[in-house]
Amino acid sequence: MTIDIRSTGAPKQKPDDAAPLSFGVYTTDHMLVMEWTREQGWGQPSVIPYGDLSLDPAALTLHYGQAVFDGFKAFATADGGAALFRPDAYMARLNQSARRLDMPELPVGTTLAAVERFVDLERGWIPTRPDSALYLRPTMIATEPHIGVKSSDRFLFFVIASPVGAYYAEGFSAVKIKVEDEFVRAAPGGLGAAKTPANYAASLLAGRRAKSEGYAQVLWLDAVERRWVEEVGSMNIFFRIAGKVITPPLTGSILPGVTRQCVIEMLAADGVAVQERRIDIEEVISAHEDGMLQEVFGSGTAAVISSVGLLHYRGKDYPIGDGTGGELASKLFRQITGIQYGRDEDRFGWLAKVPRVE
Ligand code: COI
């Protein structure tokens, strides 16, 4: 594989590493691009200066939403290097999303080698302040111009990068979540397990309403009975009830979170078996009423591990513990970030060092 590299002649001002970083505000100097056509398959990857895309207004992605993306992180590690966290797992999920949207799968080896080269070039953008990282956003869009509904014969894959801190305005403090019982995010057989813009579009109105009422996000219930807990859009959800850790199963309408999987593996290594099972919102509420709801937390790439300090359901607030977050969530946060920043042993083999190219 050859990667064509065209460096920018006008590097941007980097954010001040001494100040807290908001999520998603900055982008780096370059981006990785690679094109696919039905006749030729994937072309060679190139790294080019970050800039606008040129897209026909009839491009299928704009009209019919044929697009997938993912999000993973590069960390500045304690040894002075840089590492990607579980890039293979994210690539597998991106390809799974692509299959669901009838899009071509990416060649994993070539793509990850190109991502490593791209991150190596952007090394100076990996923030070093605590709890920050370089967030990578691989994205694939349908570029063929066509007004009829069809799968595109051309796609553009690109990766952009953004130095980020905590996802929520609350930082890594506990967030307040509203249980959404009007709108739904995804139905059985739909797109819920794919990382595709449609799922996020479906969440915007409910999310903005919840924000205006003082909640960080909504917790989705299932589309059929409005009863079974699904996920929080930006994270998967876990409950600790009477000493048992429970998370909804991957039945096709929620995102198969990589951080969710890390939580399950980290807990298993500590002898705690997570119950992956359907959980009724009424079970959560009655556990709260019985004093058995010990903790609620979310897991996500952007959100890492975020405690939920309060649930709101049908006009009533249910504070969890003292509202500041639970001990299991803080332990998991310490464990996963310890590995990500190379402070602790990478006992699960999750880190992929980014090689330096001379
Ligand atoms: C991620 O956690 O990577 C996501 O894509 C969630 C998004 C809300 C930023």
Side-chain angles (χ1 to χ4, degrees), residues 111-187:
T111 310
L112 281 182
V115 167
E116 283 178 353
R117 189 70 189 87
F118 166 56
V119 172
D120 183 42
L121 191 74
E122 303 296 59
R123 206 174 269 275
W125 282 92
I126 306 177
T128 54
R129 58 175 288 118
D131 299 328
S132 63
L134 187 67
Y135 183 82
L136 302 167
R137 175 50 65 85
T139 307
M140 198 198 308
I141 56 170
T143 50
E144 184 195 349
H146 192 87
I147 305 288
V149 179
K150 71 183 273 285
S151 278
S152 183
D153 286 335
R154 280 184 9 214
F155 291 93
L156 172 69
F157 171 69
F158 61 87
V159 186
I160 54 174
S162 174
V164 299
Y167 183 66
Y168 295 116
E170 292 82 349
F172 289 106
S173 308
V175 289
K176 297 180 182 171
I177 300 280
K178 178 186 171 188
V179 180
E180 176 60 56
D181 61 353
E182 182 186 352
F183 301 112
V184 294
R185 171 183 175 274

Side-chain angles (χ1 to χ4, degrees), residues 28-193:
T28 66
D29 286 324
H30 299 91
M31 58 195 200
L32 173 67
V33 293
M34 189 161 77
E35 285 184 283
W36 183 93
T37 64
R38 205 165 288 283
E39 308 80 61
Q40 315 230 303
W42 287 107
Q44 292 295 330
S46 330
V47 176
I48 59 173
Y50 185 97
D52 292 351
L53 300 176
S54 166
L55 210 55
D56 190 298
L60 282 158
T61 194
L62 299 174
H63 302 270
Y64 307 120
Q66 199 179 20
V68 291
F69 68 95
D70 220 292
F72 63 118
K73 284 176 170 170
F75 295 88
T77 46
D79 60 3
L84 300 173
F85 186 72
R86 302 201 73 175
D88 42 354
Y90 288 97
M91 281 301 301
R93 185 171 67 183
L94 183 55
N95 276 340
Q96 190 178 314
S97 302
R99 283 195 296 275
R100 178 63 184 86
L101 274 286
D102 196 28
M103 298 168 79
E105 289 184 43
L106 288 149
V108 175
T110 305
T111 310
L112 281 182
V115 167
E116 283 178 353
R117 189 70 189 87
F118 166 56
V119 172
D120 183 42
L121 191 74
E122 303 296 59
R123 206 174 269 275
W125 282 92
I126 306 177
T128 54
R129 58 175 288 118
D131 299 328
S132 63
L134 187 67
Y135 183 82
L136 302 167
R137 175 50 65 85
T139 307
M140 198 198 308
I141 56 170
T143 50
E144 184 195 349
H146 192 87
I147 305 288
V149 179
K150 71 183 273 285
S151 278
S152 183
D153 286 335
R154 280 184 9 214
F155 291 93
L156 172 69
F157 171 69
F158 61 87
V159 186
I160 54 174
S162 174
V164 299
Y167 183 66
Y168 295 116
E170 292 82 349
F172 289 106
S173 308
V175 289
K176 297 180 182 171
I177 300 280
K178 178 186 171 188
V179 180
E180 176 60 56
D181 61 353
E182 182 186 352
F183 301 112
V184 294
R185 171 183 175 274
L191 297 175

Side-chain angles (χ1 to χ4, degrees), residues 23 69-73 90 93 135-137 167-168 195 200 217 232-235 255 259 299-304:
F23 189 92
F69 68 95
D70 220 292
F72 63 118
K73 284 176 170 170
Y90 288 97
R93 185 171 67 183
Y135 183 82
L136 302 167
R137 175 50 65 85
Y167 183 66
Y168 295 116
K195 212 157 169 64
Y200 296 83
Q217 291 248 324
V232 181
S234 52
M235 49 189 195
L255 196 79
T259 315
S299 64
T301 305
V304 193

